[in-house]
Amino acid sequence: MKARDSERNHRTMEAEPKPLEEPKHETKKLKNLSDYAQTLQLGWNGLLVLKNSCFPTSMHILEGDQGVISSLLKDHASGSKLTQLKIAQRLRLDQPKLDEVTRRIKQGSPNGYAVLLATQATPSGLGTEGMPTVEPGLQRRLLRNLVSYLKQKQAAGVISLPVGGSKGRDGTGMLYAFPPCEFSQQYLQSALRTLGKLEEEHMVIVIVRDTV
């Protein structure tokens, strides 16, 4: 009888660690999009610039090719990663314009495009390593102010890449920064399923390489 008891105890001890390990995943519940973004690969972090304002931003990859990001988001003069991106144009969120972006994404598949989730870069912690210093004359503001501006204008921000022009034919492309809209939400279905709702201000960034 004793032998059976000790055998049972031994089995119980062996089985014990499992229940302790499993709840860990449940307690680490993702509360918002910033939490969700941390589960994705970091694609770029730096400053988005519009007029006299700059917005510390972290971009995490939703789909597409990391190579597009590293080749287009770099300073061709120095070869180093760009630390700021200046929005110089706007694209109205009209269906024909959105269809054109979709066409370019399809044309660029599988390795000529990338879609990223842009969220506010936190003042401390993840996503701020190498956050550039703000140039004189630029005011640091929260990303939500840029999102509100684009929503109000019913437009996406547009940046021609690479910044400062390219040296080779294959090194050009476009970056589109979409505020929350029907078009951008199609790339956030997984986040929506995970979180239930997308309350935090965010943008969806589409980078497409020009096809020759």
Side-chain angles (χ1 to χ4, degrees):
M1 183 75 179
K2 272 186 181 168
R4 200 177 299 140
D5 276 352
S6 67
E7 195 183 307
R8 196 184 299 129
N9 287 345
H10 185 63
R11 269 210 305 275
T12 316
M13 280 164 70
E14 273 186 335
E16 253 175 28
K18 272 197 176 162
L20 288 173
E21 277 174 31
E22 280 172 21
K24 268 187 199 165
H25 298 292
E26 290 162 40
T27 51
K28 177 85 182 77
K29 189 146 174 38
L30 302 175
K31 295 190 292 293
N32 53 35
L33 263 177
S34 288
D35 281 359
Y36 179 80
Q38 299 304 337
T39 68
L40 306 169
Q41 184 188 348
L42 181 67
W44 183 85
N45 63 314
L47 301 171
L48 283 177
V49 177
L50 179 72
K51 298 176 182 171
N52 299 324
S53 299
C54 66
F55 309 88
T57 307
S58 293
M59 298 184 192
H60 290 81
I61 302 171
L62 290 164
E63 61 178 74
D65 185 28
Q66 165 77 45
V68 173
I69 302 162
S70 46
S71 67
L72 288 177
L73 297 189
K74 78 173 179 191
D75 182 334
H76 278 263
S78 66
S80 58
K81 180 180 84 89
L82 283 173
T83 52
Q84 67 174 45
L85 291 167
K86 191 167 190 173
I87 296 171
Q89 299 162 277
R90 293 199 307 262
L91 176 87
R92 274 196 67 78
L93 299 177
D94 297 334
Q95 201 53 52
K97 303 252 173 49
L98 296 174
D99 289 345
E100 174 61 16
V101 176
T102 304
R103 188 186 66 77
R104 291 191 69 173
I105 290 171
K106 284 192 176 134
Q107 241 180 358
S109 295
N111 51 12
Y113 83 106
V115 180
L116 304 99
L117 168 62
T119 52
Q120 174 69 43
T122 47
S124 60
L126 287 161
T128 53
E129 301 84 36
M131 192 55 77
T133 50
V134 175
E135 284 178 13
L138 283 181
Q139 184 189 355
R140 189 187 287 257
R141 300 179 70 195
L142 293 174
L143 185 67
R144 68 164 179 257
N145 294 306
L146 176 58
V147 175
S148 302
Y149 171 83
L150 290 172
K151 271 185 181 168
Q152 185 193 333
K153 296 287 183 189
Q154 295 190 315
V158 179
I159 302 168
S160 293
L161 298 172
V163 172
S166 79
K167 291 180 179 169
R169 277 199 319 169
D170 60 349
T172 60
M174 295 295 263
L175 180 151
Y176 303 94
F178 289 95
C181 60
E182 203 175 310
F183 179 84
S184 67
Q185 297 313 289
Q186 66 184 315
Y187 296 105
L188 291 172
Q189 291 308 306
S190 175
L192 189 58
R193 280 196 297 276
T194 306
L195 298 168
K197 53 188 181 295
L198 307 176
E199 289 180 327
E200 191 181 349
E201 292 291 23
H202 63 279
M203 293 194 298
V204 166
I205 308 293
V206 174
I207 301 174
V208 282
R209 185 178 280 154
D210 288 335
T211 48
V212 182

